[in-house]
Amino acid sequence: MTIVAGVSPTHQTTDGVALAAMLARSTDTDLLLVAVVPAPWQGKNAHLDAGYRQDLRLRAERSLADAGQTIPPEVTFTTQVRESVSVSEGLTEAATETGSPMLVLGSSTMGLLGRVALGSVTERLLHSSPVAVAVSPRGFAAAGDQRVNRVSIAYAVGPDESSLIATAAQVGGEIGAGVRLVSFAARPAAPVTSGVGLRAEDQVLDQWASDVEATTDELNRQVSAAAGDCAVEPAVIGRGETWSRALEAIDWSPGEVLVIGSSRTARAAGVFLGGTASKIARHSPVPVIVLPRPAN
Amino acid sequence: MSALTQQLFRRKGVKNYVEGEAVAEGELPRTLGLLPLMMLGIGGTVGTGIFFVLNQAVPSAGPAVIISFLLAGVVAGLTALCYAELASSVPVSGSSYSYAYATLGELPAMGVAACLMLEYGVSTAAVAVGWSEYLNALLNSLFGFRIPDFLSQAPDQGGLINLPAVILILMCMSLLIRGASESTTVNTIMVGIKLGVLTLFAVIGITGWNADNFADFTPFGVAGVTGAAGIIFFSFIGLDAVATAGGEAKNPQRNLPLAIIGALIVVTGTYFIVATVAVAAQNWTQFEGQEAGLAAILEQVTGSTWPSTLLAAGAIISIFSVTLVVLYGQTRILFTMSKDGMIPPIFHKVNPKTLTPVPNTLIVSVVVAIIAGVVPLDLLAEMTSIGTLVAFLVVSLGVIILRRRNPDLTRGFSVPFYPITPILSVLGCLWIIWNLDLVTILVFLVWTAVVLAFYFLYGRQHSVLGQERRDAR
């Protein structure tokens, strides 16, 4: 099996490659680093920009070579420069051709260091990819022997998350990582002048938290069924006035990944990041993996 | 004590409350200094009633309505101080329902809850009706067009339904269901808008000063003045918000009374100026039946429409935010009651997607919208006033009872001049209530009886506290 990692032909960022290497090491798979350059225009003048494309290709190869330098020796990898009309399409094609279960991407360079920032390519893939998409926080780096040691599964009460939980927990169990369920709530504080106290919203969140806890037992059973008993860690709830506070409220460990499911509205077997999931992803301090909706 | 008395006056222990309300993880205690507390009081109070109570109050007091404002302000200040003491004796955050439950017992708490439904639910309706008046005034001065009476008046006043008020409440409902809130910044902006348009009114309105309008100063004597104070009390609701935020106050013993009194001075001063300018500009006999009063007076004084347009626009924006916040308050009070088992559990069902109590918000909004659609403003305002007054009366009694029963309790704030302050507060409330319309008092008594009957039939058996006590036995 192969994991496909997207590498920019021009920007020298390594966070995506670092994540890809950590994932490949943890799952004992090899890596395909792909840089996508623009495909030539169709038509009789297509040869005119041959020189330009040659230059782009060279840059892409250099970029891939640089990225390869950062990959620890025990991870085997190959590189590829692809021509495609769009970067996301090129990456998707690479994943389909190699039968890869996952695309790995870095954060946008516009984002905050240490947080996941979705660039335009990532954004598009998170709404169209046929395989899982992993995104590293900006500036992500992992020690040469770092493995995924904990898989956190973000879930919500209500929608049926059993296939998300089963898939993520199974992979977590196979790679020997701990698996836990996490749930988040962000609610602004009560309006100050409402006269019912500044903490009026706490009782609403308390109620929500107890609803969530009521379902965890059952879901944890699903987790242990898929991952094996040893790996299951207690479920946690993060809450705060903003998404960023809610995500900060729980502990994260190095080597942790956060798994999020696709929206209910995603097409079958496709990735589509929902509204809430997108907020969680954008405030995550650890790499995020978005799984496609199960094929029916 | 008999078993029944024990049941009716069982109190939610202070310990219980603290455990039940474990501070949420990662939440730092907020700390409010004097100025934020004062702003909170001003923001919660100013502008709710002043935009429309004059037209209800002036016909019953004449120009002496300005005395009514001072009277209502003093009583509001006394009750707010008592409220602050009670709020600071029980380390819970919440409304006076929670304080009453912790200090006086289940039955009084239910009585307070009945009052709060008037102070919040009915006042939302009142505010929405006032909003619809200003909406009409704005439409009229901008486009020369009015929503016809049968769609903008209560049946009692020759209409069919007050549609703008209903729509406003349904808009607020959808915002609350989606999880909207009013941030401190928005609150500050709203305070600015409200004080701004009121200043505009005073500055422009004073050009229409006519001392002759004061000639017949007290056409209805003292009774008229106190009667009007009852209606006006409505415009002082919100001062108690300072007390409910007391748990977060820095140095409450100093800052709470200063904030309450400071806010009261600003608010009463503003109201006094606005009322004086209004009765000087327009003869008191012309107030009755006038809609969107302040805007109408401005138009009359200046003979041009732009000042009244500006005022109406300011009123529409700020009253909208008030409606949202008060409706929010009502849903959260019912949420607490439902958690306590006093009303059915559907009121504390939280939608996992929006994280808001959706059924609760729907029920409250629909009921309030119906009330706003069909009940005329004067009755709504009086009902709100009597609810608030009785709630404050209970709170003031609570201060006295708690001082006698638990003299050693640590209080974050104690009222100055005990026992004079709470006694005056009780008497002030009684006096104003006494002068309200007989119909108002009767409707209030019937309403309270209904709520208490509901308690005897439902809450008494379903009370979570009662359940715990039974289990413990």
Side-chain angles (χ1 to χ4, degrees):
Chain A
M1 208 162 53
T2 310
I3 289 177
V4 173
V7 173
S8 158
T10 48
H11 294 298
Q12 305 299 317
T13 54
T14 52
D15 44 28
V17 177
L19 172 62
M22 181 174 92
L23 293 173
R25 187 182 315 110
S26 307
T27 52
D28 278 327
T29 49
D30 41 325
L31 213 51
L32 173 63
L33 303 183
V34 177
V36 180
V37 294
W41 285 19
Q42 301 298 316
K44 59 176 178 166
N45 289 337
H47 62 280
L48 287 181
D49 62 350
Y52 168 67
R53 288 197 289 117
Q54 184 56 32
D55 185 55
L56 271 188
R57 184 170 270 277
L58 271 175
R59 273 170 174 251
E61 275 162 7
R62 224 177 302 144
S63 190
L64 284 171
D66 286 349
Q69 298 278 317
T70 64
I71 293 178
E74 77 274 14
V75 177
T76 49
F77 70 94
T78 45
T79 62
Q80 188 182 65
V81 178
R82 291 186 77 94
E83 289 191 332
S84 176
V85 281
S86 91
V87 181
S88 49
E89 225 166 87
L91 291 175
T92 312
E93 280 162 14
T96 327
E97 275 171 25
T98 51
S100 162
M102 188 186 284
L103 272 171
V104 186
L105 298 152
S107 259
S108 154
T109 48
M110 307 294 279
L112 285 174
L113 213 56
R115 287 289 169 84
V116 170
L118 309 179
S120 55
V121 172
T122 317
E123 200 58 93
R124 168 129 189 228
L125 283 169
L126 284 174
H127 291 95
S128 63
S129 167
V131 296
V133 177
V135 189
S136 66
R138 188 171 168 219
F140 178 81
D145 56 349
Q146 180 74 61
R147 286 168 165 270
V148 174
N149 56 23
R150 182 153 73 181
V151 175
S152 285
I153 308 171
Y155 79 106
V157 193
D160 177 21
E161 310 256 41
S162 49
S163 90
L164 163 74
I165 289 171
T167 313
Q170 193 190 345
V171 175
E174 279 167 15
I175 63 176
V179 179
R180 66 172 181 175
L181 294 169
V182 296
S183 210
F184 301 101
R187 283 290 297 134
V192 282
T193 52
S194 63
V196 291
L198 301 184
R199 297 186 185 278
E201 257 343 86
D202 284 357
Q203 53 173 357
V204 177
L205 280 190
D206 285 343
Q207 180 63 38
W208 166 80
S210 71
D211 291 349
V212 170
E213 276 156 16
T215 62
T216 25
D217 282 347
E218 169 55 28
L219 293 176
N220 265 336
R221 263 193 296 281
Q222 291 181 18
V223 172
S224 359
D229 278 331
C230 57
V232 182
E233 295 186 20
V236 288
I237 288 176
R239 47 193 262 189
E241 289 183 6
T242 58
W243 284 105
S244 132
R245 293 254 188 93
L247 273 277
E248 277 164 12
I250 70 171
D251 73 297
W252 301 97
S253 71
E256 176 152 11
V257 292
L258 176 64
V259 178
I260 305 177
S262 278
S263 153
R264 266 181 307 113
T265 51
R267 65 195 153 75
V271 166
F272 192 97
L273 196 64
T276 309
S278 164
K279 285 170 197 133
I280 293 173
R282 280 165 210 276
H283 293 99
S284 170
V286 298
V288 170
I289 300 176
V290 184
L291 297 189
R293 229 191 99 196
N296 296 321
Chain B
M1 244 197 303
S2 78
L4 182 66
T5 328
Q6 240 171 39
Q7 195 176 30
L8 299 186
F9 292 94
R10 59 190 165 207
R11 298 191 303 273
K12 203 162 177 179
V14 166
K15 262 235 174 64
N16 260 342
Y17 255 121
V18 177
E19 279 165 19
E21 298 227 348
V23 179
E25 312 89 86
E27 281 255 31
L28 290 172
R30 276 166 276 251
T31 42
L32 298 172
L34 176 56
L35 199 65
L37 279 173
M38 206 169 116
M39 286 307 288
L40 200 162
I42 299 172
T45 316
V46 104
T48 0
I50 190 67
F51 287 107
F52 36 87
V53 285
L54 278 176
N55 299 95
Q56 325 295 332
V58 176
S60 65
V65 77
I66 55 180
I67 309 293
S68 311
F69 270 102
L70 296 183
L71 190 66
V74 170
V75 175
L78 289 170
T79 56
L81 286 175
C82 293
Y83 201 149
E85 168 164 336
L86 198 66
S88 74
S89 340
V90 212
V92 303
S93 123
S95 58
S96 35
Y97 160 79
S98 307
Y99 305 132
Y101 202 171
T103 56
L104 302 175
E106 208 162 272
L107 185 71
M110 222 33 208
V112 168
C115 299
L116 288 181
M117 285 181 221
L118 300 175
E119 186 184 342
Y120 285 83
V122 173
S123 92
T124 311
V127 174
V129 173
W131 183 83
S132 108
E133 289 183 2
Y134 277 91
L135 180 72
N136 244 339
L138 184 72
L139 288 176
N140 192 25
S141 64
L142 280 181
F143 310 116
F145 154 83
R146 291 181 64 88
I147 300 170
D149 273 1
F150 75 96
L151 285 181
S152 64
Q153 293 285 358
D156 198 39
Q157 293 170 326
L160 181 68
I161 187 171
N162 193 332
L163 200 58
V166 172
I167 292 173
L168 173 68
I169 288 166
L170 297 182
M171 287 197 305
C172 290
M173 172 185 82
S174 69
L175 284 174
L176 288 179
I177 285 178
R178 291 170 55 98
S181 181
E182 192 192 63
S183 67
T184 320
T185 321
V186 174
N187 176 48
T188 313
I189 296 170
M190 291 301 163
V191 179
I193 293 177
K194 287 185 255 190
L195 290 179
V197 292
L198 290 178
T199 311
L200 174 92
F201 173 81
V203 170
I204 297 178
I206 207 159
T207 56
W209 187 277
N210 178 1
D212 293 345
N213 284 334
F214 289 103
D216 190 8
F217 192 64
T218 52
F220 302 104
V222 180
V225 174
T226 37
I231 303 168
I232 284 168
F233 199 77
F234 175 72
S235 55
F236 284 93
I237 296 173
L239 202 58
D240 45 317
V242 183
T244 57
E248 328 279 337
K250 268 188 260 177
N251 191 2
Q253 187 62 41
R254 167 183 175 269
N255 284 344
L256 273 189
L258 283 182
I260 289 173
I261 291 166
L264 191 67
I265 289 173
V266 173
V267 170
T268 317
T270 312
Y271 287 178
F272 184 81
I273 293 168
V274 168
T276 310
V277 168
V279 290
Q282 176 174 279
N283 193 278
W284 69 270
T285 51
Q286 292 171 340
F287 279 85
E288 191 152 15
Q290 196 178 38
E291 284 200 356
L294 299 186
I297 292 173
L298 273 194
E299 197 165 336
Q300 206 177 307
V301 166
T302 57
S304 70
T305 52
W306 73 262
S308 64
T309 308
L310 204 59
L311 186 129
I316 285 172
I317 295 168
S318 59
I319 298 176
F320 171 75
S321 92
V322 171
T323 313
L324 181 74
V325 171
V326 183
L327 192 63
Y328 167 90
Q330 178 66 79
T331 61
R332 297 313 189 259
I333 290 168
L334 292 173
F335 191 98
T336 316
M337 291 175 66
S338 168
K339 290 283 279 183
D340 289 342
M342 294 290 133
I343 55 172
I346 188 164
F347 282 94
H348 72 265
K349 210 171 158 345
V350 175
N351 181 301
K353 185 135 186 76
T354 59
L355 298 178
T356 51
V358 173
N360 175 338
T361 314
L362 278 173
I363 296 171
V364 170
S365 309
V366 168
V367 171
V368 170
I370 292 172
I371 296 175
V374 300
V375 183
L377 181 57
D378 48 355
L379 183 59
L380 291 176
E382 285 215 2
M383 289 311 300
T384 307
S385 285
I386 194 170
T388 314
L389 282 162
V390 174
F392 285 168
L393 182 77
V394 176
V395 163
S396 307
L397 282 175
V399 167
I400 301 174
I401 293 172
L402 204 63
R403 284 262 187 143
R404 306 197 73 171
R405 203 179 56 211
N406 304 43
D408 305 325
L409 195 69
T410 351
R411 292 170 171 81
F413 165 71
S414 318
V415 289
F417 310 117
Y418 181 85
I420 300 169
T421 314
I423 291 175
L424 278 180
S425 166
V426 169
L427 291 179
C429 290
L430 279 177
W431 189 34
I432 298 183
I433 293 170
W434 192 249
N435 282 289
L436 285 172
D437 239 15
L438 191 61
V439 180
T440 310
I441 298 175
L442 284 178
V443 173
F444 174 77
L445 290 176
V446 170
W447 166 244
T448 314
V450 168
V451 173
L452 293 183
F454 181 77
Y455 167 69
F456 277 99
L457 291 173
Y458 182 91
R460 205 160 57 92
Q461 280 82 21
H462 292 81
S463 159
V464 172
L465 186 63
Q467 198 66 48
E468 282 168 6
R469 298 260 161 101
R470 271 196 293 280
D471 292 348
R473 225 175 281 145

